[in-house]
Amino acid sequence: MCGIVAYLGERQAYPILMKGLKRLEYRGYDSAGVAILDGEMLLYKVKGKVAELVASIGKKKTSGTVGMAHTRWATHGEPNEINAHPHYSPTHNLAIIHNGIIENYVALKKELLKRGYIFQSETDTEVLIHLIEDIKLNERVDLVNAVQIALKQVIGAYAIVVISKDDPDILVAARKSSPLVIGIGKKEFFVASDAAPIIEHTSDVVYLNDEEIAIIQKNKPLKIKTISDIERTPYIEKLELNLSKIEKSGFEHFMLKEIFEQPHSIRDSMRGRLKINEGIVALGGILDYEQKLINARRILIVACGTSWHAGLVGEYLIEELARIPVEVEYASEFRYRKPVINEEDVVIAISQSGETADTLAAIELAKSKGATIIGICNVVGSSIARATHAGSYTHAGPEIGVASTKAFTAQVTILVMLALRLAYKRGTLPMSQFYQLLNELDGIPEKVEKTLLLNDKIKKLAEIFKDSTNALYLGRGYNFPVALEGALKLKEISYIHAEGYPAAEMKHGPIALIDENMPVVVLATNKTIYDKVVTNIQEVKARKGIIIAIVNEGDKTIGEMADYSIEVPETEEIFTPLISTIPLQLFSYHMAVLRGCNVDQPRNLAKSVTVE
Ligand code: M6R
């Protein structure tokens, strides 16, 4: 949520900032702004996207080698020019950009109002910069000290950058519970919410930890202190990301590119873990904590959104294969509902971004009760990856489209391997079946590739249904989480109301919605409860619902019963989510494109939800 980028060096800051901001736009895009120091403070902002900011600046002055920029996802105050960042301090000497939420901003604002300060915006961020300047002037301290003192009074999450007209050769950056990474180049520094804007300039980076402040100065080495003024040695890491991974590479949208990357991303998730010739599956990152998992009283999976859907697949997998009780929780509910957790519990936190605020808070809660925490994250070095005891990266590569696609299949792949590993270690699966499943898993990327060949057929289907106002997605067993995921994909990018349901639950309520205008997507690739799914389809047909069935290749029974059918390669039931989710991703994508929606940047959404 919100993208931050800042530069200090010898080059012109503006083009670097605008390019960087474009790469961060997936984090939020309701307004954007930039501030540059060049003797004076140049500050421009607009309601809208980065392109609109660039257009509105046009030929106005943008020179200067120190600056910062922001793309916003609104929390406090509607998206408009006034609420956009950067925010000035009262004297206009300082400016700030911020990602996060200052939870006690009302109390801080009240104090400042009493002292006569006037606020332009409705944001919590403006309160912080007023506070910093108030401290700087009244306590006669330098900028770094003022930021330290102010942040000690702050409750909440922040990643900030502050610049000062009076100190034009310094950037002060700080973080708590919101990510911030610093790139170190030759005589230049970059600050950003994630590595995307930095990668083309340098691969040497320092990830700030909570309550650390980076003091970035011209011609001086990077200095890091805590807000309590304890000096820290910067730990420089090498970025393992290449530029092509964060570009569209000829695809019209990032989402489509990411859907088509799945044969590779699933293979990358399995690389070095599934050793088919040796008949082994092992997740290196969790080996030290494997015994905890094997002996777990129960496993709790916490996540949000699509990652929660992957967690549901994980529940089915681990219970069926390894016979360990599993509960799947929305992180936002778990953290506030006083759950019973103890030291024999293992919590698996799933997150693509590794920055989701609720998931992070759920981890902290479970940790405080003594549970072992295992992470399944995509973004290397992210807050969740660092907060867990151990974990497995999904290695899906950067996911830029707001709608999660390849991250989901990568998460499911990790969960499949984890369940198989636990089953092997606990002796809950006959070895012949274990080896057969490993072989089938090894062939999944090819089956995904084959499924992607259905793209044109699915596009034609989307042309038929593009004007629908509602849709139902039904699935049973392993296809139930896929139904939820399919419905989420459709609603988030095409704004069509869609609901995912366990197929048999339909007659307990949603069946009332079915009429001749209701498309019902039925996931019918299950073998074990095939007949039950057939019955559910009949129930819909009897009420004139329109059936779009996802079936196994050669399935004539449902194929003939359905109004439209999509045949996908058959696989073992436990792997079906890796296949049956692909046509649903493509369907949502084409529906959204045909409806003229902004696929990669759907309204009101942001890629990583770093606020509660
Ligand atoms: O980064 P995370 O996996 O923790 O994000 C969780 C959700 O915000 C995310 O999956 C969201 O639901 C996606 N927009 C779904 O496509």
Side-chain angles (χ1 to χ4, degrees):
M1 307 239 117
C2 302
I4 281 181
V5 60
Y7 175 79
L8 178 147
E10 298 189 331
R11 292 190 275 163
Q12 286 298 309
Y14 179 70
I16 296 171
L17 293 175
M18 288 307 108
K19 202 164 180 196
L21 212 53
K22 268 250 140 237
R23 293 205 196 284
L24 288 176
E25 214 169 13
Y26 71 92
R27 301 179 69 91
Y29 33 79
D30 58 45
S31 51
V34 58
I36 296 167
L37 293 173
D38 188 28
E40 56 188 327
M41 172 113 58
L42 306 167
L43 195 150
Y44 307 108
K45 43 194 196 173
V46 295
K47 175 180 176 191
K49 302 206 164 130
V50 180
E52 287 157 72
L53 177 68
V54 173
S56 91
I57 292 174
K59 292 202 169 13
K60 287 182 199 145
K61 196 173 166 207
T62 55
S63 57
T65 56
V66 177
M68 59 189 193
H70 187 269
T71 176
R72 180 170 185 247
W73 186 87
T75 56
H76 295 70
E78 65 171 280
N80 62 26
E81 190 183 321
I82 294 174
N83 290 330
H85 300 211
H87 288 284
Y88 274 128
S89 65
T91 65
H92 286 204
N93 265 318
L94 309 181
I96 189 171
I97 51 175
H98 169 218
N99 171 26
I101 291 183
I102 312 294
E103 286 169 14
N104 59 336
Y105 86 103
V106 175
L108 295 170
K109 189 170 182 176
K110 239 187 214 163
E111 273 307 308
L112 291 164
L113 282 168
K114 262 194 232 159
R115 298 224 288 281
Y117 284 105
I118 295 165
F119 293 87
Q120 309 297 325
S121 76
E122 300 154 83
T123 66
D124 49 342
T125 308
E126 195 187 9
V127 175
L128 180 57
I129 196 64
H130 277 48
L131 180 66
I132 293 171
E133 183 160 87
D134 179 73
I135 293 166
K136 187 171 184 289
L137 298 178
N138 292 321
E139 300 190 21
R140 295 178 187 281
V141 290
D142 67 16
L143 180 63
V144 174
N145 280 161
V147 172
Q148 285 172 314
I149 298 167
L151 291 180
K152 277 198 205 155
Q153 298 178 35
V154 160
I155 300 171
Y158 54 79
I160 58 165
V161 182
V162 179
I163 55 173
S164 161
K165 204 164 66 176
D166 294 341
D167 293 302
D169 291 338
I170 181 170
L171 285 179
V172 180
R175 77 151 259 176
K176 186 181 174 200
S177 305
S178 285
L180 211 56
V181 52
I182 297 160
I184 304 174
K186 277 198 184 115
K187 296 191 173 183
E188 59 185 1
F189 296 92
F190 308 83
V191 182
S193 305
D194 63 45
I198 296 179
I199 187 65
E200 65 179 290
H201 305 292
T202 176
S203 56
D204 289 338
V205 294
V206 172
Y207 290 94
L208 273 195
N209 291 310
D210 275 355
E211 302 200 334
E212 282 182 351
I213 296 198
I215 300 139
I216 299 164
Q217 289 165 284
K218 282 210 167 150
N219 304 317
K220 288 196 183 160
L222 170 69
K223 215 184 216 179
I224 295 180
K225 289 179 170 188
T226 66
I227 61 171
S228 307
D229 211 34
I230 300 163
E231 221 154 313
R232 294 267 164 86
T233 311
Y235 172 63
I236 301 177
E237 298 182 44
K238 279 264 174 233
L239 277 180
E240 281 172 22
L241 186 69
N242 73 52
L243 208 53
S244 69
K245 294 247 163 115
I246 53 171
E247 295 191 325
K248 283 191 206 150
S249 315
F251 283 89
E252 201 184 332
H253 297 100
F254 279 111
M255 182 181 175
L256 191 62
K257 176 189 175 218
E258 287 156 7
I259 292 173
F260 273 85
E261 277 174 348
Q262 288 175 110
H264 299 286
S265 52
I266 293 174
R267 180 66 70 205
D268 287 344
S269 302
M270 300 194 296
R271 199 176 307 287
R273 294 162 169 169
L274 175 62
K275 296 178 186 160
I276 205 73
N277 294 333
E278 297 160 55
I280 293 174
V281 63
L283 297 165
I286 59 169
L287 278 184
D288 290 350
Y289 285 82
E290 193 173 79
Q291 210 51 46
K292 284 265 183 194
L293 272 158
I294 293 167
N295 299 331
R297 187 181 67 122
R298 66 174 174 164
I299 292 174
L300 283 158
I301 299 181
V302 293
C304 303
T306 289
S307 298
W308 185 85
H309 297 154
L312 264 191
V313 179
E315 176 183 22
Y316 284 45
L317 285 165
I318 296 171
E319 291 210 341
E320 177 176 341
L321 301 181
R323 311 305 296 153
I324 304 171
V326 181
E327 286 165 34
V328 188
E329 299 255 8
Y330 285 114
S332 54
E333 286 299 312
F334 177 78
R335 57 180 294 201
Y336 287 118
R337 70 165 186 80
K338 302 191 177 55
V340 179
I341 315 162
N342 71 31
E343 283 141 31
E344 289 146 44
D345 290 331
V346 176
V347 172
I348 300 179
I350 307 177
S351 174
Q352 187 285 129
S353 62
E355 302 295 344
T356 301
D358 283 320
T359 309
L360 203 48
I363 289 171
E364 295 307 338
L365 172 71
K367 239 188 189 172
S368 72
K369 306 281 181 204
T372 300
I373 322 289
I374 306 292
I376 298 179
C377 292
N378 194 34
V379 178
V380 177
S382 55
S383 303
I384 291 176
R386 289 186 297 152
T388 48
H389 293 114
S392 268
Y393 283 117
T394 46
H395 295 313
E399 191 180 66
I400 312 274
V402 165
S404 193
T405 52
K406 65 174 179 172
F408 173 76
T409 47
Q411 289 162 346
V412 171
T413 305
I414 299 289
L415 289 161
V416 161
M417 289 189 289
L418 179 64
L420 284 168
R421 174 73 180 179
L422 292 176
Y424 169 77
K425 285 296 213 180
R426 285 167 59 88
T428 47
L429 201 62
M431 285 314 286
S432 55
Q433 198 186 341
F434 175 75
Y435 293 130
Q436 190 214 325
L437 289 173
L438 292 197
N439 276 317
E440 179 64 21
L441 180 58
D442 190 46
I444 288 290
E446 283 67 43
K447 291 194 174 174
V448 171
E449 193 135 28
K450 209 169 162 208
T451 312
L452 288 167
L453 298 176
L454 295 165
N455 186 35
D456 289 342
K457 183 166 183 195
I458 294 170
K459 187 174 175 193
K460 286 197 185 106
L461 202 61
E463 274 157 13
I464 300 169
F465 289 100
K466 69 177 183 356
D467 296 320
S468 306
T469 47
N470 293 291
L472 255 186
Y473 284 72
L474 304 178
R476 298 183 75 133
Y478 285 95
N479 272 328
F480 163 52
V482 178
L484 295 179
E485 176 59 8
L488 175 63
K489 285 294 85 88
L490 189 70
K491 57 190 150 196
E492 71 179 326
I493 58 167
S494 71
Y495 318 140
I496 294 171
H497 170 247
E499 281 198 52
Y501 243 81
E505 271 293 303
M506 183 192 54
K507 51 188 166 297
H508 299 283
I511 201 162
L513 295 169
I514 293 173
D515 61 16
E516 64 279 9
N517 298 315
M518 177 67 95
V520 183
V521 180
V522 182
L523 292 143
T525 57
N526 314 61
K527 278 173 273 179
T528 46
I529 38 174
Y530 184 84
D531 292 343
K532 308 269 177 213
V533 177
V534 169
T535 308
N536 298 141
I537 291 175
Q538 296 293 10
E539 288 160 358
V540 175
K541 282 202 70 89
R543 282 142 190 103
K544 300 194 169 61
I546 311 157
I547 300 282
I548 304 167
I550 312 297
V551 297
N552 286 328
E553 270 167 1
D555 180 339
K556 296 286 167 258
T557 312
I558 294 183
E560 279 163 19
M561 214 179 279
D563 298 279
Y564 305 91
S565 66
I566 299 288
E567 292 190 19
V568 298
E570 188 169 337
T571 183
E572 285 291 337
E573 188 124 358
I574 62 163
F575 303 139
T576 44
L578 292 169
I579 305 292
S580 55
T581 198
I582 309 288
L584 306 193
Q585 294 170 346
L586 288 168
F587 185 62
S588 312
Y589 170 79
H590 290 299
M591 292 282 274
V593 171
L594 290 164
R595 289 164 67 87
C597 300
N598 188 336
V599 174
D600 285 333
Q601 297 174 342
R603 71 181 179 210
N604 304 339
L605 287 171
K607 183 68 182 163
S608 54
V609 184
T610 55
V611 296
E612 289 182 32

